[in-house]
Amino acid sequence: MKNPALIVLAACVLSACGGNDDNSSSSSSSGSSSGSSSSSSSSGSSSSSSGSSSSSSSSSSGSSSGVSGSAAQGLYCGSFTAIAGSSSSSSSSGSSSSSSSSSSGSSSTSSFCSGSGSSPIFFGLVQADGTAVFFTKLDTDFILYAPGSLTSASFQAVPFTAYGLNGTDVGGSAGGTDSGTLTGTVTTSTVLVTTTTLAGSFTDAANNVIKFTATDSASNWTEASSLATVAGTYTASFSVGGTSYTPSLTINATTGDITGSDTTATCTYGGSVGLPDTTHNDYSVTLTSSCLSGQTFTGLGSFFPAGLSNPNGVLSKAELKVGLTNGSNTGIYLNLTQ
């Protein structure tokens, strides 16, 4: 996490997220690449923790249907508040601007993760096996959190690794990493409709705290997944170590294999998309690139079709939104658009 003056966690960069996905910077990343010409980030205070294993274990080209799974599983959207370890007062994450605590997010049948770009927004995905990835975002500050497995409705001191995306300060450096523990609970209530709420906090070694409350978007989570659904050619952009990349990636409808090249750098991409749970909007992704010295990135994603309504209009392009890490010092968020 950031130092006490600048604490952040990331959030809704999804155009299906109420149109907050800024297509001019559809993806972002943290860390440094030995293949890049510049290196503006470092591995931070903890470049490997058990939290990062949640990403590395998530990728598989196989499929599994009928998964009952974790009590915490779902697609979540909400808000967060940052509290500096050296102070009891709350402050918004990001460039040290203050803010009062925000109300929890809400879900509906027509939108996912609505909110404005200046609001502190929290979103994430928990798979049926408890593998998870979370984000917070406020303005340009954007962080990916990879916690350990969340297999029950109540979890205490689960280790996580935080990755600063797009140069966000984490662990005292731009695009760095940090580690800590996640504590939280999942509750379900039924008033006309069933609502699942995830509430908790991320705490780093300096006692900086990110408190969040989020609601499961059942209408999006219960969409079945398939390779045919996500097959096609996508474009995105992200940066690592101060170098920007704009890949064009194609997903094969039969095998899930990923192939591609970069329009701004002379390099190629490979990887695969898998189906951990075909009954839910849940995809595992592996990505490699000669741009990034052949490193392997693994993570989770969800698909949002063109025509999906949200508070700011209708999603004009299909989008596959993916959070990836290399398990040590670099995280990437891909907003893949067709």
Side-chain angles (χ1 to χ4, degrees):
M1 277 187 219
K2 293 181 168 238
N3 55 35
L6 296 173
I7 315 175
V8 197
L9 192 345
C12 187
V13 164
L14 312 174
S15 18
C17 258
N20 283 332
D21 208 355
D22 183 353
N23 289 327
S24 64
S25 58
S26 60
S27 306
S28 56
S29 71
S30 72
S32 59
S33 165
S34 57
S36 65
S37 59
S38 63
S39 177
S40 63
S41 61
S42 68
S43 60
S45 61
S46 172
S47 63
S48 66
S49 94
S50 59
S52 62
S53 65
S54 65
S55 294
S56 62
S57 64
S58 65
S59 178
S60 167
S61 61
S63 64
S64 173
S65 61
V67 179
S68 57
S70 166
Q73 67 175 300
L75 272 170
Y76 291 94
C77 175
S79 62
F80 69 95
T81 301
I83 304 173
S86 60
S87 170
S88 60
S89 62
S90 296
S91 63
S92 71
S93 69
S95 31
S96 69
S97 60
S98 61
S99 161
S100 59
S101 177
S102 300
S103 61
S104 64
S106 60
S107 63
S108 71
T109 57
S110 62
S111 66
F112 177 65
C113 217
S114 60
S116 65
S118 60
S119 300
I121 310 170
F122 172 93
F123 74 96
L125 163 65
V126 182
Q127 292 184 321
D129 66 355
T131 302
V133 62
F134 297 110
F135 302 88
T136 57
K137 192 175 191 303
L138 179 63
D139 297 324
T140 59
D141 287 317
F142 194 9
I143 298 177
L144 181 157
Y145 281 67
S149 186
L150 307 180
T151 56
S152 66
S154 179
F155 36 91
Q156 299 289 325
V158 176
F160 71 81
T161 300
Y163 299 84
L165 303 177
N166 201 33
T168 298
D169 190 311
V170 171
S173 63
T177 64
D178 203 353
S179 61
T181 57
L182 166 64
T183 298
T185 57
V186 176
T187 57
T188 301
S189 62
T190 302
V191 179
L192 298 180
V193 296
T194 299
T195 302
T196 301
T197 300
L198 173 67
S201 61
F202 294 94
T203 304
D204 69 8
N207 288 322
N208 299 312
V209 178
I210 298 293
K211 298 182 67 175
F212 62 85
T213 302
T215 304
D216 174 35
S217 177
S219 61
N220 288 287
W221 176 239
T222 55
E223 289 292 328
S225 57
S226 71
L227 294 179
T229 297
V230 296
T233 298
Y234 298 80
T235 57
S237 64
F238 67 94
S239 66
V240 172
T243 300
S244 297
Y245 302 99
T246 54
S248 174
L249 305 176
T250 298
I251 300 173
N252 185 285
T254 303
T255 64
D257 289 345
I258 297 173
T259 56
S261 59
D262 204 288
T263 59
T264 59
T266 305
C267 56
T268 59
Y269 295 83
S272 63
V273 172
L275 307 173
D277 174 8
T278 57
T279 63
H280 291 102
N281 188 357
D282 181 11
Y283 296 87
S284 60
V285 179
T286 298
L287 186 71
T288 61
S289 174
S290 59
C291 287
L292 305 172
S293 302
Q295 297 179 75
T296 298
F297 290 80
T298 59
L300 321 178
S302 290
F303 179 79
F304 300 87
L308 179 71
S309 298
N310 62 58
N312 295 327
V314 177
L315 193 62
S316 61
K317 299 179 180 180
E319 299 181 344
L320 177 62
K321 302 174 184 302
V322 181
L324 301 163
T325 79
N326 64 356
S328 58
N329 65 345
T330 305
I332 297 172
Y333 172 79
L334 291 178
N335 181 52
L336 296 162
T337 59
Q338 285 186 324

